[in-house]
Amino acid sequence: MTNQATLVIIKPDGLKKSLTGNILSRLSETKLKIIGAKIVKVNEHLAQQHYQHLRDKPFYPELIKYITGKLHGENRVMALIYFGKDAITKVRQISGATNPEEADPVSVRGAYGRILTTGLYENVVHASSDPSEAQREIKLWFGPEEITVDLYPVKVATLRSFKRKVWK
Ligand code: IDP
Ligand code: MG
């Protein structure tokens, strides 16, 4: 198996509970390389894009509130790209099953996740589940200049009348 890249998000509950260090330590057991990392304030648009495949699920509105930080009063997440052999499976294994009550107790979700009274799985981390999802998610969360490995083809764009904040 050749090298793979996978997206990890430490969700707002992970930051609120100061679990970032614990989770990164657990993930370092994989011996994978971190090739991109940042703290992100998740807006509605990014949340909807990220969870587009779940938009018909009954828990979708709650899920959007969760990832945008509205459930925790914590609008930060940490986004990371892990790279190496079997990265997707290795990271999913340490993350644990989607349902934190069914997850292996020593996995991140098993150790730190819970089910809210609304039924939402508050499970601390996101991890891409297959190569095509990983590619879609990495392109959504990171630009080519934020990653230290050339993962996908790029083009050079000249952006005119493109507004963004810069330092004064
Ligand atoms: P995954 O995060 O293990 O890949 P997905 O099916 O992609 O699972 O779901 C995305 C997120 O939506 C989960 O991590 C969890 O927070 C939430 N979720 C998924 N399925 C359920 C469910 O059946 N009930 C409540 N929340 C769910
Ligand atoms: Mg998923």
Side-chain angles (χ1 to χ4, degrees):
M1 167 73 83
T2 52
N3 287 332
Q4 287 179 327
T6 188
L7 182 78
V8 172
I9 299 165
I10 304 179
K11 298 183 184 182
D13 48 325
L15 278 96
K16 180 116 185 188
K17 294 175 176 172
S18 287
L19 291 171
T20 312
N22 308 45
I23 295 166
L24 295 182
S25 294
R26 291 305 314 280
L27 288 169
S28 70
E29 292 166 22
T30 62
K31 309 271 169 62
L32 296 165
K33 269 190 192 164
I34 297 174
I35 61 163
K38 59 184 176 180
I39 296 289
V40 182
K41 190 168 79 178
V42 183
N43 61 32
E44 291 286 315
H45 180 72
L46 176 58
Q48 286 169 10
Q49 295 283 307
H50 180 72
Y51 284 129
Q52 64 179 23
H53 58 297
L54 298 171
R55 62 182 175 272
D56 297 328
K57 300 283 184 193
F59 57 83
Y60 177 77
E62 193 78 357
L63 183 58
I64 296 297
K65 281 191 203 155
Y66 176 23
I67 200 70
T68 55
K70 296 193 177 71
L71 295 186
H72 297 89
E74 169 59 83
N75 66 7
R76 297 169 304 150
V77 304
M78 186 167 190
L80 300 129
I81 303 170
Y82 282 84
F83 181 75
K85 193 170 169 289
D86 293 328
I88 293 171
T89 314
K90 284 178 181 163
V91 170
R92 287 287 291 193
Q93 229 152 36
I94 286 182
S95 300
T98 306
N99 179 338
E101 284 188 3
E102 287 171 4
D104 184 330
V106 302
S107 67
V108 171
R109 287 167 164 181
Y112 303 123
R114 61 176 180 169
I115 301 181
L116 300 182
T117 47
T118 56
L120 187 76
Y121 301 162
E122 188 190 85
N123 55 9
V124 193
V125 287
H126 166 83
S128 309
S129 58
D130 61 62
S132 72
E133 187 180 271
Q135 178 170 162
R136 190 187 78 81
E137 292 177 349
I138 288 167
K139 288 177 173 173
L140 178 65
W141 286 78
F142 285 84
E145 292 179 349
E146 297 177 301
I147 308 176
T148 58
V149 170
D150 296 330
L151 291 177
Y152 315 116
V154 295
K155 62 181 179 185
V156 176
T158 309
L159 302 171
R160 290 205 194 91
S161 67
F162 171 73
K163 284 191 185 164
R164 56 171 294 190
K165 286 182 191 163
V166 294
W167 304 121
K168 259 191 197 173

